[in-house]
Amino acid sequence: MKAPANDPLIQIQELNVEYRTLRGAVRAVENVSFDLYANEVFGLAGESGCGKTTVANAITRLLKPPAYITGGRILFRDIDILQMSPEQLRNFRWDQLSIVFQSAMNALNPVLTIGNQIIDAMQAHQSISYEQARGHAKQLLRTVGIDVQRVDSYPHQLSGGMRQRAVIAIALALNPELIIMDEPTTALDVVVQKQILQEIKDLRDQFGFSILFITHDLSLLVEISDRIGIMYAGKLVEAGPSLEIFADPKHPYTDRLMNSFPTVHGPRRELLGIPGAPPDLIDPPAGCRFHPRCELAIDGECDKLIPPLIRIGGERDVACHLIKEAEVVS
């Protein structure tokens, strides 16, 4: 699936983020760039610690010391989020951009009912009465598949799946254009996970918002995303239409990631996994950061030269020395 021809809703341009520690600076995100379009689901995948959540927190400006954005721009309809004042940022969050965090129990306030948490989000940004907000809260709960009687329930009174739906309802409260979903189904069993994914698809079709969907499960992203970006050790190593990447991964890391998860359908096959461990980002290896774990690495090239992210045809971008010159689009 090609990226839409219209202008991007949000553009991440050469984003750099580091965590400053006593040992030195951890370069968690390095020169990451991608666009996300209206009514599109863009998936971001990679192992734990590759920088996915750091990218999400940079977009929402939720990073706090010792994390620092050291370079790049994040443009939302040509307005740089990184240059917004505190007041502009307050108006921007929830109204135009919201986030669904990985752990619903930690994201919800344990001493407020689900209804009051939705109401608070609406009244903080809109001139709306309590009665109107409560009515809208009930409608949102109904929309995400929760019985409206649960409007007065506390988070601990809900199941894991219901809590995740409640967090999604809060994210939808102001009908934002972009919702960031940071591993929203990780803690759920596979049956509930499937239900939540279907509801996310239905809600996207109903409300027309865009989604930045973050997970380590690449097979999950193929199911829900239009396009996918693969991150490794703080860098974007491959990006393109989800079905194309699923059918023909170009980067060795993407291929290994694809073969690290069992399939529910189809023939049984041996899972390959990925040998070794991600590098120390305080002192990452020279050249391609994946080369110490890559069985296809070229001596004298992959261990010395940093591969640029290049367009190889259509909407495919890959950062790998194994890509032949004939595949590159000038």
Side-chain angles (χ1 to χ4, degrees):
M1 182 179 201
K2 272 196 171 185
N6 56 304
D7 292 334
L9 174 66
I10 191 165
Q11 297 171 278
I12 287 65
Q13 299 178 345
E14 298 296 316
L15 180 65
N16 288 271
V17 181
E18 65 180 35
Y19 293 85
R20 295 170 185 170
T21 72
L22 294 177
R23 290 182 56 222
V26 177
R27 289 173 280 179
V29 174
E30 189 167 329
N31 297 325
V32 168
S33 300
F34 62 88
D35 297 338
L36 194 155
Y37 294 82
N39 199 33
E40 180 187 35
V41 179
F42 186 90
L44 208 54
E47 293 172 282
S48 296
C50 71
K52 308 182 300 295
T53 296
T54 298
V55 169
N57 288 338
I59 294 172
T60 52
R61 291 272 303 274
L62 291 176
L63 291 173
K64 302 294 182 185
Y68 296 88
I69 298 174
T70 57
R73 299 197 302 170
I74 302 174
L75 304 179
F76 187 91
R77 298 201 181 281
D78 296 326
I79 299 174
D80 193 347
I81 297 174
L82 302 183
Q83 300 302 318
M84 287 183 177
S85 67
E87 182 63 24
Q88 289 174 317
L89 191 60
R90 180 181 178 277
N91 293 331
F92 174 72
R93 289 175 179 157
W94 298 110
D95 188 34
Q96 293 174 288
L97 178 150
S98 60
I99 185 167
V100 175
F101 293 100
Q102 179 175 352
S103 175
M105 194 63 189
N106 293 336
L108 295 168
N109 190 325
V111 299
L112 290 179
T113 65
I114 296 301
N116 280 336
Q117 294 187 57
I118 299 175
I119 291 167
D120 283 351
M122 287 187 285
Q123 289 190 318
H125 294 268
Q126 296 177 339
S127 178
I128 186 173
S129 69
Y130 178 85
E131 290 74 19
Q132 289 175 312
R134 183 177 171 84
H136 189 45
K138 289 182 177 180
Q139 179 61 42
L140 284 170
L141 292 180
R142 188 180 295 111
T143 299
V144 298
I146 299 179
D147 191 305
V148 294
Q149 300 301 319
R150 289 291 191 173
V151 71
D152 293 318
S153 295
Y154 290 88
H156 72 273
Q157 296 174 309
L158 305 180
S159 67
M162 292 174 70
R163 285 196 293 266
Q164 199 61 62
R165 289 183 176 93
V167 172
I168 293 173
I170 295 172
L172 290 171
L174 298 175
N175 195 24
E177 293 185 81
L178 172 63
I179 298 180
I180 296 174
M181 296 189 171
D182 187 3
E183 304 205 35
T185 62
T186 298
L188 305 176
D189 64 67
V190 292
V191 175
V192 176
Q193 184 180 85
K194 184 75 173 179
Q195 293 172 350
I196 295 290
L197 286 178
Q198 186 58 54
E199 287 172 4
I200 290 172
K201 291 179 182 178
D202 293 342
L203 290 169
R204 195 271 296 258
D205 293 339
Q206 180 180 349
F207 293 99
F209 51 80
S210 301
I211 300 174
L212 176 60
F213 196 98
I214 295 171
T215 182
H216 61 276
D217 188 342
L218 195 49
S219 60
L220 190 69
L221 276 189
V222 171
E223 183 176 346
I224 194 173
S225 301
D226 301 306
R227 292 185 300 129
I228 291 175
I230 308 297
M231 289 190 67
Y232 180 75
K235 288 179 171 286
L236 195 67
V237 297
E238 185 165 1
S242 57
L243 293 180
E244 289 186 22
I245 289 180
F246 180 75
D248 184 24
K250 295 295 186 182
H251 197 285
Y253 176 66
T254 306
D255 183 60
R256 282 290 189 166
L257 206 59
M258 282 283 192
N259 286 286
S260 297
F261 293 93
T263 57
V264 177
H265 305 288
R268 290 193 297 178
R269 56 185 172 80
E270 181 181 0
L271 298 180
L272 300 178
I274 306 174
D280 181 354
L281 294 183
I282 291 179
D283 185 25
C288 173
R289 291 185 175 180
F290 187 60
H291 88 262
R293 307 173 69 186
C294 183
E295 297 174 347
L296 303 175
I298 304 169
D299 290 340
E301 187 171 0
C302 294
D303 56 347
K304 297 188 183 311
L305 304 174
I306 298 174
L309 192 69
I310 55 176
R311 180 60 52 91
I312 62 168
E315 298 294 328
R316 297 291 297 276
D317 297 319
V318 184
C320 181
H321 292 301
L322 297 172
I323 299 299
K324 307 301 180 185
E325 289 186 9
E327 297 181 83
V328 178
V329 176
S330 58

